[in-house]
Amino acid sequence: MKVVYDLIIIGSGPAGINSGIYAARYKLKTLIIGEINGGMAASAHEICNLISYKTIKGFEFAMKLKEQIEHLGVKIISKKVVDIKKDKLFEVNVEDEIFFSKKIIFATGSEKRKLNIKDEGKYVGRGISYCATCDAAFFKNKIVSVVGGSDAALTAALLLSEFASKVYLIYRKDKFFRAEPAWVEAVEKNEKIQTMFNLNVIELFGEKFLEKIKLDNGLILDASGLFIEIGSNPSSNLASQLGVNLENNFIIVDINQETNIKGVFAAGDVTNNNLKQIITAAAGGAIATTQIYKEIKSDV
Ligand SMILES: Cc1cc2nc3c(=O)[nH]c(=O)nc-3n(C[C@H](O)[C@H](O)[C@H](O)COP(=O)(O)OP(=O)(O)OC[C@H]3O[C@@H](n4cnc5c(N)ncnc54)[C@H](O)[C@@H]3O)c2cc1C
């Protein structure tokens, strides 16, 4: 017999998990489908702005999300949604199975941007990384570079300085105007980190593994590791296929987190909210689920 969920949440980051927490409290029949447990937050070195924690590692935070959702008994599966259709119900396809639901929340977050230079793909896992938290420990006593100027880039450089012998922090602008002042100060005080402004990485060298990088001023640096932290793109393709309206690829939502398509909601970094953080992602999930509960209760 066909199982019909009240709600399918796509994504198991802070927006998806908090949607699930509220759905459990509202006793909605819910399924969460998420590829990466904890989402982007899992790759945060240290989260220092989260209510109720002085500080918590991203990985530990992701484990706590999983623990909490499992404790509430919400069904969660680690798969990638590859297609979604709307008939009377939504049909959510994860390659080997199709799930049916009355409502959908896109909590799909975003994907790390690539530098898009020659051989970038060749060196992924062989020196190039998009996640310092995951890979920093592999670079003990090595020379590494970080590209970017946001909080993510600065915190990656700080984490790497705990392992590497030297960290170049390469940024295309002339100052860190997007980063939190506290992180900028920590980077400036760190003797292992050398900041290099107004520069871009343009070429990569190495036999099997990355060995050197070339900058657009001609300088060639030793680099066993290159950490790319230049932002991310919203994962809104599936929503777009359903006809959801986007703005610069972010899903447009109203004050209830609903999109232009009836029954389709979105929360977190994939939406056009003004602040891409854990707290706002979680809040968006709570608002979306509350509206869904009201609609399901009144059979809209
Ligand atoms: C290095 C770093 C440090 C950070 N530090 C902080 C911090 O200190 N404080 C803070 O508040 N924020 C921080 N952030 C930002 C924070 O991580 C994000 O704002 C937050 O994770 C957004 O949550 P989300 O649930 O919207 O998306 P995400 O966390 O990106 O989760 C998206 C989820 O959707 C899944 N998904 C996507 N497409 C599919 C699909 N087709 N099928 C199935 N699943 C899919 C992903 O696997 C993932 O589970 C940091 C981010 C980074 C990268």
Side-chain angles (χ1 to χ4, degrees), residues 237-253:
N237 286 357
L238 291 168
S240 163
Q241 277 170 32
L242 270 183
V244 168
N245 286 340
L246 308 179
E247 179 188 34
N248 298 326
N249 290 328
F250 291 99
I251 298 178
I252 301 173
V253 288

Side-chain angles (χ1 to χ4, degrees), residues 38-59:
M40 211 55 121
S43 65
H45 166 42
E46 197 90 58
I47 302 167
C48 307
N49 54 4
L50 202 54
I51 192 162
S52 88
Y53 289 105
K54 277 189 204 130
T55 165
I56 183 167
K57 302 269 180 214
F59 177 75

Side-chain angles (χ1 to χ4, degrees), residues 225-238:
L226 177 62
F227 288 79
I228 299 166
E229 291 288 358
I230 54 171
S232 45
N233 293 322
S235 303
S236 55
N237 286 357
L238 291 168

Side-chain angles (χ1 to χ4, degrees), residues 10-17 33-50 61 79-82 94 107-112 133 151-153 155-156 180 183 229 232 235 238 267-270 275-282:
I10 308 175
S12 50
I17 296 295
I33 306 173
E35 245 191 317
I36 299 171
N37 171 45
M40 211 55 121
S43 65
H45 166 42
E46 197 90 58
I47 302 167
C48 307
N49 54 4
L50 202 54
F61 175 69
K79 287 201 172 172
K80 182 179 172 116
V81 175
V82 290
V94 292
T108 43
S110 54
E111 260 187 317
K112 290 282 178 78
T133 314
D151 285 344
T155 54
E180 259 185 42
W183 292 129
E229 291 288 358
S232 45
S235 303
L238 291 168
D269 282 11
V270 75
L275 183 66
K276 308 289 189 236
Q277 289 276 279
I278 292 165
I279 195 152
T280 44

